[in-house]
Amino acid sequence: MKSATAGGTAPVPPPRTRKSVTGTRKSVAALFLLPALVLLGALVVYPIGYSVVRSFYDQSGDGFAGIDNYKTLFSDDGIRAALKNNVIWVVFAPTVATALGLIFAVLTERVRWGTAFKLVVFMPMAISMLAAGIIFRLVYDQDPDKGVANAVWVGVHDTFAQASAFPKAHPGRQSPLKAEQGGFITREAVRAGQSVTVPLVGVAPDKMPDGAGKAVRAEPEPGKVTGTAWQDFTRGRGVGRLGQVDPGELGYSGMRIEAVKDGRVVDSTSVAADGTFTLSDKADGARLRLPASNFSEPYNGLDWLGPSLVTPAIIGSYVWMWAGFAMVLIAAGLAGVPRELLEAARVDGANEWQVFRRVTVPLLAPVLAVVAVTLMINVLKVFDLVFIIAPGSSQDDANVLALELYRKGFSEDQPGVASAISVFLLLLVIPVMAFNVRRLRREVRR
């Protein structure tokens, strides 16, 4: 083709091969992308497609089952419990982790050692889920001597409600006491001017209170009821007399004694270090009761990994790991907030809480959305922590969809149902991912 010019005609140059914006030919770019596309197809696209197809077949894989496997998702008790727990995870875990990350990010801006604090908070991210699960399995141990959570909880509890020193104490042979409402009471009424013996056994000598002294038989006092409560046991065969205070036997220091008449407590006292006690004339004709509080077992804390607390406990371990991730992202967003806006709000009379709520949080809304959406996708796939932390007795109560997928596919040999669960999880993730992509596009347009 020719075009007319002032000096005649000149040939039109042939069209150039189109290149990308970087100057690279599309064929070359496709060649470099090919390995990645092959891996993507082999490791992502093909497994997804196979799972979708497999979810419509029976457990053997030979017969077409239609949507029967999907019906199982809403009829199987284990899957329904897992779905309920996933809802709890999605609602609470990202919310708590994001809120803590926001608080840490804002506060560390004003702390001298803020960088060191951020490093400590972020450090759990360097730990694998397996290691974190093992750590928190020990943290939540029921024994306060092993589990940190119960050690702290028991320490706080015992500060306000100390456990009894005599949890194993009980009447021995030929005892004047009988059991009543978790405690013990004398079989016969007592009289003023009488000395009563209250023998007990069952407490090892090395478990007696530090203030316990050698027991002494109380002397009768006119118009009063006196007595002795002591450990009626002396080591050695044939040593000591049953029902009598012998040398070397210890008093039940601090034990509570109540005088009960017609169902009412008319008088009460505590046993002295030598085991003796004294009641007023109000106790005349009453029966002496050792209330159940004397024999309460030591408080061993909460059953963190029991059916009722196992899911919140595991969510707590997840927050411990991911709050640092949220903090780092939010702190990066906070560094980009114009300081002029914050200072202007303070000049206008806003206090720090108003600045935080009405200026800082709205400006950080895009970053908070990224963090929350990322964590929501993450918790939908949570498996490791639940599998490791939850004991066998509580695993059904802590079950989540990812764990149920594993159990159906490998423990119960139901690959069709497992494939249906995987497709269902994919469907749950897609709306969250779509929201994230749409939000990112809006950010690009700005």
Side-chain angles (χ1 to χ4, degrees), residues 230-244:
W230 83 104
Q231 173 81 349
D232 188 20
F233 176 78
T234 305
R235 286 181 173 177
R237 179 176 294 181
V239 178
R241 295 160 296 174
L242 187 64
Q244 297 188 32

Side-chain angles (χ1 to χ4, degrees), residues 184-208:
F184 305 98
I185 193 168
T186 57
R187 300 176 187 273
E188 305 293 338
V190 298
R191 296 294 176 184
Q194 176 186 0
S195 180
V196 184
T197 56
V198 185
L200 294 167
V201 295
V203 181
D206 58 339
K207 299 294 185 182
M208 292 291 286

Side-chain angles (χ1 to χ4, degrees), residues 82-310:
L83 181 59
K84 181 194 72 173
N85 286 333
N86 264 104
V87 172
I88 295 173
W89 272 88
V90 170
V91 171
F92 289 100
T95 302
V96 175
T98 304
L100 285 177
L102 174 62
I103 293 171
F104 292 155
V106 172
L107 293 182
T108 49
E109 275 204 325
R110 299 173 175 271
V111 177
R112 182 179 181 183
W113 300 99
T115 303
F117 179 81
K118 288 179 181 177
L119 178 63
V120 172
V121 176
F122 187 75
M123 195 176 297
M125 284 295 298
I127 302 174
S128 69
M129 286 283 197
L130 173 64
I134 295 173
I135 291 170
F136 275 88
R137 183 66 181 267
L138 296 174
V139 167
Y140 292 132
D141 195 286
Q142 180 68 37
D143 187 354
D145 294 331
K146 298 178 182 178
V148 175
N150 266 339
V152 174
W153 191 262
V154 169
V156 173
H157 175 274
D158 288 353
T159 300
F160 300 98
Q162 192 169 2
S164 168
F166 318 106
K168 302 296 183 183
H170 62 274
R173 291 179 293 124
Q174 303 176 14
S175 174
L177 299 171
K178 66 176 183 178
E180 182 185 82
Q181 299 178 356
F184 305 98
I185 193 168
T186 57
R187 300 176 187 273
E188 305 293 338
V190 298
R191 296 294 176 184
Q194 176 186 0
S195 180
V196 184
T197 56
V198 185
L200 294 167
V201 295
V203 181
D206 58 339
K207 299 294 185 182
M208 292 291 286
D210 295 335
K214 291 184 178 181
V216 176
R217 182 175 177 81
E219 297 295 332
E221 295 184 25
K224 295 181 180 180
V225 175
T226 60
T228 305
W230 83 104
Q231 173 81 349
D232 188 20
F233 176 78
T234 305
R235 286 181 173 177
R237 179 176 294 181
V239 178
R241 295 160 296 174
L242 187 64
Q244 297 188 32
V245 179
D246 297 306
E249 293 178 342
L250 300 176
Y252 279 111
S253 175
M255 180 169 282
R256 192 73 178 164
I257 305 288
E258 296 176 345
V260 180
K261 187 185 296 184
D262 298 328
R264 295 186 303 107
V265 177
V266 295
D267 198 8
S268 63
T269 188
S270 296
V271 176
D274 59 3
T276 60
F277 60 88
T278 303
L279 295 164
S280 68
D281 57 354
K282 296 178 182 178
D284 184 42
R287 291 198 294 171
L288 302 188
R289 181 173 66 187
L290 282 60
S293 58
N294 288 318
F295 312 102
S296 59
E297 294 285 343
Y299 182 67
N300 289 319
L302 298 174
D303 187 7
W304 295 102
L305 300 181
S308 58
L309 291 177
V310 63

Side-chain angles (χ1 to χ4, degrees), residues 387 395 403-414 418:
F387 183 73
Q395 201 166 82
L403 177 58
E404 187 65 15
L405 187 157
Y406 169 82
R407 293 166 68 174
K408 293 294 185 188
F410 297 98
S411 300
E412 301 177 19
D413 194 24
Q414 299 184 43

Side-chain angles (χ1 to χ4, degrees), residues 266-432:
V266 295
D267 198 8
S268 63
T269 188
S270 296
V271 176
D274 59 3
T276 60
F277 60 88
T278 303
L279 295 164
S280 68
D281 57 354
K282 296 178 182 178
D284 184 42
R287 291 198 294 171
L288 302 188
R289 181 173 66 187
L290 282 60
S293 58
N294 288 318
F295 312 102
S296 59
E297 294 285 343
Y299 182 67
N300 289 319
L302 298 174
D303 187 7
W304 295 102
L305 300 181
S308 58
L309 291 177
V310 63
T311 295
I314 299 174
I315 290 176
S317 65
Y318 178 88
V319 170
W320 175 76
M321 289 192 67
W322 288 88
F325 166 82
M327 177 196 66
V328 169
L329 291 187
I330 295 171
L334 191 61
V337 172
R339 301 299 161 183
E340 297 82 4
L341 296 177
L342 304 180
E343 293 302 326
R346 294 188 180 100
V347 170
D348 289 341
N351 57 36
E352 291 302 319
W353 168 246
Q354 291 172 326
V355 171
F356 172 77
R357 185 166 61 91
R358 297 183 178 274
V359 181
T360 304
V361 172
L363 291 174
L364 288 176
V367 179
L368 296 176
V370 169
V371 173
V373 169
T374 302
L375 293 181
M376 286 175 66
I377 296 173
N378 186 266
V379 299
L380 283 172
K381 303 179 295 181
V382 69
F383 165 81
D384 319 60
L385 290 177
V386 180
F387 183 73
I388 297 167
I389 296 177
S393 59
S394 299
Q395 201 166 82
D396 288 340
D397 300 283
N399 199 11
V400 290
L401 287 174
L403 177 58
E404 187 65 15
L405 187 157
Y406 169 82
R407 293 166 68 174
K408 293 294 185 188
F410 297 98
S411 300
E412 301 177 19
D413 194 24
Q414 299 184 43
V417 176
S419 299
I421 295 174
S422 66
V423 174
F424 183 63
L425 272 174
L426 177 64
L427 294 176
L428 292 178
V429 171
I430 286 175
V432 182

